[in-house]
Amino acid sequence: MSSSDLRAMAPHNGAYMQTFMEDVFRAFQRPEQRRWAQAYLWALINVSGKKTPSRMARAKPLPPAAAHGLHQFINGSPWDWAPVRRRLAHYVAENTTPSAWTVAELIIPKRGEHSVGVHQRTDPMTGRRLNCQRALIFFLVSGTQCYPVEWSLLLGGPWSSDRERRRRARIPGSEAGQTPGDHVIRYAAEAAVQPRLPRLPWVLDLTHCDDAAGVLAGLARLRADVVCEVHPGQLVLSGAQLPALTTVGALMESRHSRQTHVLLRQHPGGRVLPVPVHASVGTVGPPRPGNGDNGSRPYRILERPDPDGRQPPRYWLTTDHRVEEALRLARSHTAALSTVATLRQRFGVLDFEGRSFPGWHHHMTMASAAYISQRLVGTPSNSPTSPAIPGTPLSAWTPPPVALVGAPN
């Protein structure tokens, strides 16, 4: 887009940006909190490089002394991030056509050991030991776009048992002993009771989940549709009369247990090639039946062989979805991984330097607001098919004046 096009968009950007901020930040009770929120959002969008209060305060028109106020807004001000995130989710739902929920992991490398949640972890892909924070990002998916609307910080080891460490980091008791699956089920339950959010399938990668069966059972209790990639060794119950315990990989090895669907795949060069996808003939049951009505739902298994034959097949458990639709939804998780890379590179999700649990959530909430505003704010129609150019500063909007005294509280 030319510079004249950008100038033509600028008045719309400024007006829509102001409307976006008034909507999302209306949960703040104090005017100075709203002003600092707008200043922090502006800095996340417009400042290049590392997104820390001291660095962001060097950018004009913010005065250098604003670093203290930005730091206080994130680390000291006791605002509740949950209402802001709900407004972000509602904004996305109202301005796009959501098709699914999905979740991606974010690993945040750290040098020291004092940041909240930091621990030693073995990278399952490389086998290397990492000193890091580990987080989950929850996305609303619309088309090929994923919008981050919720965050969880995974705590384990001393962060679950050391009361003094938890007290210093201001970690609430409700966060003790929560597994990744617990966080997914908890947010899925919260989203299910929000009338302004549509009921959507959950698209998850459970191939490295220690309790995939528990996650599936929790989503089944919520009557949620799922498209979940699983390990070939995932246990399921097969057979109507006398169900037998087997694995998805073993079951799909039998030609009598599957049907073949042929999909067309277009290569970058323009060639269209047939791609076989196998679907289980019947349904399979949950891997561990519960007592009473646990909401269990039957699943179909999908197997997609690697088109080039270089990688092992991939498997999904899905409810009530045609093969083409299930694989289309499965791509939502791949899109989420691309969004994670953008959040890392441009929106400062690796840059929080505080030590408190609320501060971490405040910073990530503002990163979500910055990302969503850049994708959805900027055109008169607010159409997700024609968003503001990612990375283009909203030149018609400047941060509000911020006092150098009276930091947010």
Side-chain angles (χ1 to χ4, degrees), residues 1 19 56 70 103 124 134 136 143 166 175 285 310 321 360 403:
M1 182 173 286
T19 300
M56 291 192 296
L70 295 172
V103 183
R134 185 183 176 202
L136 297 180
R166 291 173 60 86
E175 294 292 323
R310 300 175 182 175
H321 295 290
W360 186 90

Side-chain angles (χ1 to χ4, degrees), residues 17 20-21 25 37-45 366 369-370 397:
M17 192 66 181
F20 171 83
M21 291 186 300
F25 297 143
Q38 293 179 29
Y40 202 89
L41 181 66
W42 179 90
L44 284 176
I45 293 171
M366 297 304 299
W397 171 58

